[in-house]
Amino acid sequence: MTSISNIKIGRKIGLMLAGNVLFLAALSALALWGLRTGERLAEDSIDRLTESRIAETISGETAAIGQAVGQNVGIVLLGAKSTDESVNQILELRKSRNLSLQDFKARANTPESIKQAADMADRVEASAASDERLSAALGSSRLAEAGAEFKVSPVLSGSLRAKAKEASQSQEQLVAENEKKRKESSHTVWIVLIAGSLVATAGAILGGFVLTRGIATPLAVAVAHLGEIAHGDLSKDARPEFQARGDEIGALTRGMQTMIVALRKMIQEVSGGIQALTSSSTALMASSTEMTSG
């Protein structure tokens, strides 16, 4: 495995920066995921609340239809005829309820809500059929039949309202679950972001410390050694552990060692020349002395 001291300084810095960038990119991706999850859950909750409101509307319109039918029955029992206004009111309420039911069906996207939509549709059909039979019996003055049907109609209406209420509560429960999931995911993202930020900060500090120690310390030693060489001290060799490095510090230290060896050799050669010159000078002085004596 390659030692960190054998990696070039530029590459070390690049690797450290790349690691921090990738780590921060991962944290950013996590934050974006958290935001998207929150948005998705919020959108789903809005749809659920809309379905709940539609179910409440179906329940309210069913109650209004029952009230209108009851008033119409009361008018007939009092000996009067049903007015076009009351009949049109019932028809409009039924039409509005059918549109609400269709809207609920279109928005139903879970097995439970799909079944609830089907159950409400069956109850709407049964209730509408009962109201039609009741109206027909009243129109034909079959009061006994109308009385019997009038007893059945509230039961069907109540069953439909109960199913609509159940559908509304079911959607509200899903909204509550979405909110719980949103809070949990938000909490998880915050914890991971805080922990990741601390790890990134600690990693940057540790990486900076390692790089500084691995670069500044050897450079300081090299500068001090060069100062000793500048003052004529060639007794020390460059440190072997620095020479063994594969980065710029190693190249600098090996260059220093080469310079030290070359300077030592040059000084030895100069010393040898000085010694030869000294010997020649001594011989020349001796010859000069003899010549002077002669």
Side-chain angles (χ1 to χ4, degrees):
M1 187 175 179
T2 303
S3 174
I4 190 172
S5 61
N6 294 326
I7 302 175
K8 300 296 183 182
I9 294 176
R11 191 174 181 184
K12 291 177 187 176
I13 297 175
L15 288 174
M16 188 184 74
L17 292 177
N20 284 333
V21 169
L22 289 176
F23 191 76
L24 292 175
L27 291 179
S28 299
L30 177 65
L32 290 175
W33 172 83
L35 289 174
R36 185 66 191 96
T37 300
E39 290 177 356
R40 180 179 58 80
L41 291 173
E43 291 172 357
D44 188 69
S45 294
I46 292 173
D47 291 338
R48 301 297 178 195
L49 289 174
T50 301
E51 288 187 64
S52 176
R53 178 185 57 79
I54 293 172
E56 292 289 348
T57 300
I58 293 173
S59 177
E61 288 170 341
T62 300
I65 291 172
Q67 183 179 3
V69 170
Q71 290 176 353
N72 196 23
V73 170
I75 292 173
V76 173
L77 292 177
L78 291 175
K81 292 185 178 180
S82 300
T83 62
D84 292 339
E85 183 180 356
S86 62
V87 173
N88 290 334
Q89 180 185 8
I90 295 173
L91 293 176
E92 288 296 325
L93 287 171
R94 288 178 182 174
K95 181 179 179 181
S96 176
R97 184 176 63 182
N98 289 335
L99 291 176
S100 298
L101 181 60
Q102 291 176 6
D103 193 8
F104 188 91
K105 283 183 177 181
R107 293 175 179 273
N109 56 3
T110 63
E112 185 178 6
S113 61
I114 292 173
K115 184 178 183 305
Q116 289 168 348
D119 290 342
M120 284 192 293
D122 292 340
R123 284 166 172 77
V124 165
E125 184 177 354
S127 179
S130 176
D131 291 342
E132 289 293 338
R133 290 193 298 271
L134 177 60
S135 298
L138 289 174
S140 301
S141 299
R142 300 193 301 272
L143 299 181
E145 182 180 346
E149 197 65 44
F150 185 66
K151 293 179 180 179
V152 175
S153 181
V155 175
L156 295 175
S157 177
S159 176
L160 174 57
R161 293 176 62 188
K163 180 56 66 173
K165 188 65 175 178
E166 177 187 336
S168 176
Q169 291 176 349
S170 175
Q171 297 303 317
E172 291 175 357
Q173 179 64 30
L174 291 176
V175 171
E177 292 177 1
N178 284 343
E179 181 63 16
K180 182 180 179 181
K181 292 178 181 178
R182 187 191 65 79
K183 289 182 178 180
E184 289 176 351
S185 64
S186 178
H187 180 72
T188 301
V189 169
W190 272 110
I191 293 297
V192 174
L193 286 178
I194 293 173
S197 300
L198 293 177
V199 170
T201 302
I205 293 174
L206 180 61
F209 175 76
V210 171
L211 285 178
T212 302
R213 186 174 181 182
I215 296 172
T217 301
L219 283 178
V221 173
V223 170
H225 196 177
L226 286 173
E228 295 174 357
I229 294 173
H231 287 86
D233 184 5
L234 299 175
S235 60
K236 297 180 182 178
D237 290 327
R239 292 190 180 183
E241 64 271 20
F242 292 163
Q243 295 185 53
R245 293 174 60 143
D247 58 359
E248 289 84 349
I249 300 297
L252 174 63
T253 307
R254 289 190 292 272
M256 286 177 54
Q257 182 62 26
T258 302
M259 181 185 68
I260 291 171
V261 172
L263 287 175
R264 286 173 180 172
K265 183 178 180 181
M266 183 178 66
I267 290 175
Q268 289 176 355
E269 292 176 352
V270 170
S271 297
I274 291 174
Q275 290 177 0
L277 181 60
T278 301
S279 298
S280 298
S281 176
T282 301
L284 182 60
M285 287 292 295
S287 299
S288 175
T289 302
E290 291 176 0
M291 289 177 64
T292 302
S293 298

